[in-house]
Amino acid sequence: MNPYEAYMKEISQPMRDELTNAGFTELTTPEEVDEFIASTKGTSLVVINSVCGCAAGLARPAARESLTNDSKPDHLVTVFAGQDREATSRMREYLEGYEPSSPSMALLKDGQVLHFIPREEIEDYEVEEIVENLTSSYNQYC
């Protein structure tokens, strides 16, 4: 691992922990993504995590806070853009019709996208607005 990769791994670890400590499972390889999509039934929240400042600093807290809703997804997973590149690329293949966006969040059911929140609906929004966006989709689909 080169010094830059080591530095970025160290920098991103707390951002990973923020989601895994809230119950998200990290998918770090394309094979893990394929297995998840192929074998998971029910609803899933997918967070495409990112180190990029303001949007990522809103996305993670909003994703965590949304889980206090009465209705919530059956499964929670995350891939890390810019860190686990191959896994993120594979997950994006399953988010058909949506432009790559980091961070972003998708609510899936049986592998199909029901609701997608791109970076543009995260950046410059309040955490509460993002939580409302997520929980309204949970109330509709979960």
Side-chain angles (χ1 to χ4, degrees), residues 49-71:
N49 202 350
S50 173
V51 296
C52 56
C54 50
L58 296 167
R60 288 184 298 272
R64 284 192 343 264
E65 193 175 317
S66 75
L67 301 176
T68 63
N69 194 52
D70 289 339
S71 297

mmCIF file of all heavy atoms in Angstrom, residues 49-71:
data_model
loop_
_atom_site.group_PDB
_atom_site.id
_atom_site.type_symbol
_atom_site.label_atom_id
_atom_site.label_comp_id
_atom_site.label_asym_id
_atom_site.label_seq_id
_atom_site.Cartn_x
_atom_site.Cartn_y
_atom_site.Cartn_z
ATOM 1 N N ASN A 49 -21.116 5.543 0.380
ATOM 2 C CA ASN A 49 -20.378 6.412 1.288
ATOM 3 C C ASN A 49 -19.301 7.160 0.516
ATOM 4 O O ASN A 49 -18.890 6.739 -0.567
ATOM 5 C CB ASN A 49 -19.768 5.553 2.404
ATOM 6 C CG ASN A 49 -19.454 6.336 3.653
ATOM 7 O OD1 ASN A 49 -19.508 7.557 3.696
ATOM 8 N ND2 ASN A 49 -19.104 5.605 4.698
ATOM 9 N N SER A 50 -18.830 8.248 1.098
ATOM 10 C CA SER A 50 -17.860 9.095 0.424
ATOM 11 C C SER A 50 -17.126 9.937 1.449
ATOM 12 O O SER A 50 -17.662 10.220 2.509
ATOM 13 C CB SER A 50 -18.619 9.994 -0.555
ATOM 14 O OG SER A 50 -17.775 10.940 -1.137
ATOM 15 N N VAL A 51 -15.899 10.325 1.113
ATOM 16 C CA VAL A 51 -15.168 11.230 1.995
ATOM 17 C C VAL A 51 -15.486 12.689 1.695
ATOM 18 O O VAL A 51 -15.165 13.553 2.483
ATOM 19 C CB VAL A 51 -13.628 11.039 1.921
ATOM 20 C CG1 VAL A 51 -13.236 9.678 2.414
ATOM 21 C CG2 VAL A 51 -13.103 11.308 0.542
ATOM 22 N N CYS A 52 -16.125 12.957 0.550
ATOM 23 C CA CYS A 52 -16.291 14.352 0.154
ATOM 24 C C CYS A 52 -17.170 15.107 1.141
ATOM 25 O O CYS A 52 -18.296 14.756 1.404
ATOM 26 C CB CYS A 52 -16.797 14.477 -1.278
ATOM 27 S SG CYS A 52 -18.307 13.608 -1.600
ATOM 28 N N GLY A 53 -16.592 16.115 1.661
ATOM 29 C CA GLY A 53 -17.046 16.984 2.731
ATOM 30 C C GLY A 53 -18.502 17.100 3.066
ATOM 31 O O GLY A 53 -19.077 16.253 3.723
ATOM 32 N N CYS A 54 -19.111 18.184 2.603
ATOM 33 C CA CYS A 54 -20.415 18.561 3.132
ATOM 34 C C CYS A 54 -21.495 17.523 2.849
ATOM 35 O O CYS A 54 -22.274 17.193 3.738
ATOM 36 C CB CYS A 54 -20.827 19.931 2.630
ATOM 37 S SG CYS A 54 -20.690 20.124 0.853
ATOM 38 N N ALA A 55 -21.557 16.988 1.659
ATOM 39 C CA ALA A 55 -22.616 16.032 1.348
ATOM 40 C C ALA A 55 -22.459 14.749 2.162
ATOM 41 O O ALA A 55 -23.426 14.232 2.719
ATOM 42 C CB ALA A 55 -22.630 15.720 -0.147
ATOM 43 N N ALA A 56 -21.240 14.241 2.254
ATOM 44 C CA ALA A 56 -21.018 13.014 3.008
ATOM 45 C C ALA A 56 -21.253 13.246 4.499
ATOM 46 O O ALA A 56 -21.771 12.377 5.197
ATOM 47 C CB ALA A 56 -19.606 12.492 2.769
ATOM 48 N N GLY A 57 -20.900 14.432 4.966
ATOM 49 C CA GLY A 57 -21.121 14.771 6.371
ATOM 50 C C GLY A 57 -22.588 14.913 6.722
ATOM 51 O O GLY A 57 -22.952 14.923 7.895
ATOM 52 N N LEU A 58 -23.446 15.015 5.731
ATOM 53 C CA LEU A 58 -24.895 15.040 5.931
ATOM 54 C C LEU A 58 -25.510 13.660 5.699
ATOM 55 O O LEU A 58 -26.447 13.270 6.384
ATOM 56 C CB LEU A 58 -25.541 16.041 4.971
ATOM 57 C CG LEU A 58 -25.160 17.502 5.161
ATOM 58 C CD1 LEU A 58 -25.600 18.331 3.963
ATOM 59 C CD2 LEU A 58 -25.769 18.045 6.450
ATOM 60 N N ALA A 59 -24.977 12.928 4.723
ATOM 61 C CA ALA A 59 -25.563 11.642 4.337
ATOM 62 C C ALA A 59 -25.487 10.616 5.466
ATOM 63 O O ALA A 59 -26.477 9.948 5.763
ATOM 64 C CB ALA A 59 -24.870 11.095 3.091
ATOM 65 N N ARG A 60 -24.317 10.467 6.073
ATOM 66 C CA ARG A 60 -24.165 9.448 7.118
ATOM 67 C C ARG A 60 -25.076 9.714 8.315
ATOM 68 O O ARG A 60 -25.812 8.814 8.731
ATOM 69 C CB ARG A 60 -22.706 9.314 7.533
ATOM 70 C CG ARG A 60 -21.838 8.645 6.475
ATOM 71 C CD ARG A 60 -20.409 8.427 6.961
ATOM 72 N NE ARG A 60 -19.748 9.667 7.269
ATOM 73 C CZ ARG A 60 -19.069 10.415 6.389
ATOM 74 N NH1 ARG A 60 -18.973 10.026 5.126
ATOM 75 N NH2 ARG A 60 -18.496 11.540 6.750
ATOM 76 N N PRO A 61 -25.090 10.930 8.875
ATOM 77 C CA PRO A 61 -26.003 11.176 9.999
ATOM 78 C C PRO A 61 -27.470 10.997 9.613
ATOM 79 O O PRO A 61 -28.261 10.476 10.402
ATOM 80 C CB PRO A 61 -25.714 12.624 10.394
ATOM 81 C CG PRO A 61 -24.357 12.912 9.875
ATOM 82 C CD PRO A 61 -24.194 12.069 8.643
ATOM 83 N N ALA A 62 -27.832 11.396 8.399
ATOM 84 C CA ALA A 62 -29.223 11.233 7.957
ATOM 85 C C ALA A 62 -29.588 9.758 7.835
ATOM 86 O O ALA A 62 -30.674 9.339 8.253
ATOM 87 C CB ALA A 62 -29.443 11.953 6.630
ATOM 88 N N ALA A 63 -28.690 8.968 7.267
ATOM 89 C CA ALA A 63 -28.952 7.531 7.145
ATOM 90 C C ALA A 63 -29.140 6.908 8.527
ATOM 91 O O ALA A 63 -30.084 6.136 8.737
ATOM 92 C CB ALA A 63 -27.811 6.847 6.396
ATOM 93 N N ARG A 64 -28.266 7.250 9.453
ATOM 94 C CA ARG A 64 -28.377 6.712 10.824
ATOM 95 C C ARG A 64 -29.681 7.145 11.485
ATOM 96 O O ARG A 64 -30.400 6.330 12.043
ATOM 97 C CB ARG A 64 -27.195 7.176 11.681
ATOM 98 C CG ARG A 64 -25.905 6.471 11.402
ATOM 99 C CD ARG A 64 -24.829 6.744 12.465
ATOM 100 N NE ARG A 64 -25.065 7.877 13.323
ATOM 101 C CZ ARG A 64 -24.562 9.110 13.136
ATOM 102 N NH1 ARG A 64 -23.791 9.361 12.093
ATOM 103 N NH2 ARG A 64 -24.816 10.073 13.987
ATOM 104 N N GLU A 65 -29.955 8.431 11.417
ATOM 105 C CA GLU A 65 -31.153 8.959 12.080
ATOM 106 C C GLU A 65 -32.438 8.389 11.478
ATOM 107 O O GLU A 65 -33.416 8.175 12.185
ATOM 108 C CB GLU A 65 -31.154 10.487 12.007
ATOM 109 C CG GLU A 65 -32.177 11.117 12.913
ATOM 110 C CD GLU A 65 -32.093 12.635 12.926
ATOM 111 O OE1 GLU A 65 -30.973 13.168 12.979
ATOM 112 O OE2 GLU A 65 -33.158 13.279 12.871
ATOM 113 N N SER A 66 -32.438 8.109 10.184
ATOM 114 C CA SER A 66 -33.636 7.582 9.527
ATOM 115 C C SER A 66 -34.045 6.228 10.091
ATOM 116 O O SER A 66 -35.203 5.828 9.992
ATOM 117 C CB SER A 66 -33.418 7.470 8.015
ATOM 118 O OG SER A 66 -32.595 6.369 7.685
ATOM 119 N N LEU A 67 -33.094 5.543 10.708
ATOM 120 C CA LEU A 67 -33.370 4.194 11.218
ATOM 121 C C LEU A 67 -34.168 4.194 12.517
ATOM 122 O O LEU A 67 -34.545 3.132 13.005
ATOM 123 C CB LEU A 67 -32.055 3.429 11.384
ATOM 124 C CG LEU A 67 -31.253 3.298 10.086
ATOM 125 C CD1 LEU A 67 -29.921 2.622 10.354
ATOM 126 C CD2 LEU A 67 -32.051 2.570 9.019
ATOM 127 N N THR A 68 -34.448 5.376 13.073
ATOM 128 C CA THR A 68 -35.304 5.451 14.257
ATOM 129 C C THR A 68 -36.777 5.446 13.863
ATOM 130 O O THR A 68 -37.650 5.384 14.722
ATOM 131 C CB THR A 68 -34.993 6.715 15.089
ATOM 132 O OG1 THR A 68 -35.283 7.874 14.295
ATOM 133 C CG2 THR A 68 -33.534 6.730 15.530
ATOM 134 N N ASN A 69 -37.069 5.512 12.563
ATOM 135 C CA ASN A 69 -38.438 5.468 12.050
ATOM 136 C C ASN A 69 -39.067 4.105 12.350
ATOM 137 O O ASN A 69 -38.375 3.091 12.388
ATOM 138 C CB ASN A 69 -38.404 5.711 10.531
ATOM 139 C CG ASN A 69 -39.764 6.015 9.953
ATOM 140 O OD1 ASN A 69 -40.465 6.892 10.430
ATOM 141 N ND2 ASN A 69 -40.134 5.302 8.896
ATOM 142 N N ASP A 70 -40.382 4.081 12.563
ATOM 143 C CA ASP A 70 -41.065 2.809 12.819
ATOM 144 C C ASP A 70 -40.901 1.845 11.648
ATOM 145 O O ASP A 70 -40.617 0.664 11.843
ATOM 146 C CB ASP A 70 -42.555 3.034 13.104
ATOM 147 C CG ASP A 70 -42.784 3.700 14.458
ATOM 148 O OD1 ASP A 70 -41.879 3.634 15.324
ATOM 149 O OD2 ASP A 70 -43.856 4.303 14.645
ATOM 150 N N SER A 71 -41.113 2.333 10.432
ATOM 151 C CA SER A 71 -40.875 1.513 9.239
ATOM 152 C C SER A 71 -39.445 1.760 8.797
ATOM 153 O O SER A 71 -39.006 2.900 8.713
ATOM 154 C CB SER A 71 -41.817 1.923 8.109
ATOM 155 O OG SER A 71 -43.150 1.686 8.466
#
